[in-house]
Amino acid sequence: MNDEDRARDPVSDEDRAGDPVSDEDALEDMLRHAAGIIDPVPAHLLQTAVEAYALNTLDAELAELTFDSLDRPAAVRGTGQPRMLTFLGHGLTLDLEITAGRLVGQLIPPQTAEIEILGSRQLTITTDALGRFTCDHVATGPFSLNCRADGVVITTEWLTV
């Protein structure tokens, strides 16, 4: 801290010494600075994080994750099993099955809807009349789904393939 900063800071270094909150904040700042030098956040990940918090879905309700097959113990045999997920929101159920690069889903109650896949590669697909949809081009990495059906918009949390 230089002389100007000390003159503007009403709390002296002696008053701060031993304050656990100040000590923790100082340590966190030092660690953040060191991590930024040694292992900076890649630009593409920073861009993905910024896009994740974009306000383009301000009207969307966050759908509640009610089932995730990864929460159950893995089977002894059969690696490469699809990940099954169920989301609930605004009276809609969104069932998903995720395998490497492929997404299969169904909206319940069955209806035509627009599904927007957000991530490194953004796609928009439309369900059939029974609420079913398939996408064979899901890029690896984080993604989220926005579902627009009959004026209702729900969005899923960010998932990783």
Side-chain angles (χ1 to χ4, degrees):
M1 188 180 289
N2 63 33
D3 291 334
E4 289 178 17
D5 292 336
R6 283 191 190 102
R8 282 183 273 164
D9 190 3
V11 180
S12 68
D13 289 338
E14 293 83 27
D15 293 338
R16 252 192 221 110
D19 180 12
V21 174
S22 296
D23 293 344
E24 289 174 7
D25 290 343
L27 177 61
E28 183 178 343
D29 289 341
M30 285 188 334
L31 291 172
R32 184 175 288 117
H33 181 70
I37 292 170
I38 295 169
D39 188 21
V41 176
H44 71 281
L45 287 181
L46 185 59
Q47 180 63 33
T48 301
V50 169
E51 290 170 358
Y53 287 102
L55 296 178
N56 63 351
T57 58
L58 193 56
D59 61 341
E61 176 183 321
L62 184 61
E64 177 186 3
L65 177 63
T66 58
F67 175 78
D68 186 346
S69 61
L70 291 182
D71 291 342
R72 295 195 171 177
V76 176
R77 297 182 190 183
T79 60
Q81 296 295 319
R83 181 176 181 187
M84 309 295 282
L85 300 149
T86 300
F87 292 93
L88 297 175
H90 245 310
L92 298 174
T93 301
L94 186 59
D95 287 326
L96 302 174
E97 178 180 311
I98 303 169
T99 55
R102 183 175 168 89
L103 175 69
V104 177
Q106 182 172 15
L107 183 63
I108 302 170
Q111 58 191 289
T112 302
E114 184 178 280
I115 306 292
E116 183 180 15
I117 302 172
L118 305 173
S120 61
R121 184 184 320 144
Q122 296 193 8
L123 301 168
T124 302
I125 52 180
T126 303
T127 65
D128 64 11
L130 297 176
R132 302 174 299 192
F133 61 94
T134 304
C135 181
D136 291 323
H137 308 291
V138 178
T140 58
F143 75 96
S144 176
L145 299 178
N146 285 334
C147 175
R148 299 177 193 285
D150 291 335
V152 174
V153 181
I154 62 170
T155 187
T156 67
E157 64 186 57
W158 285 82
L159 309 163
T160 302
V161 177

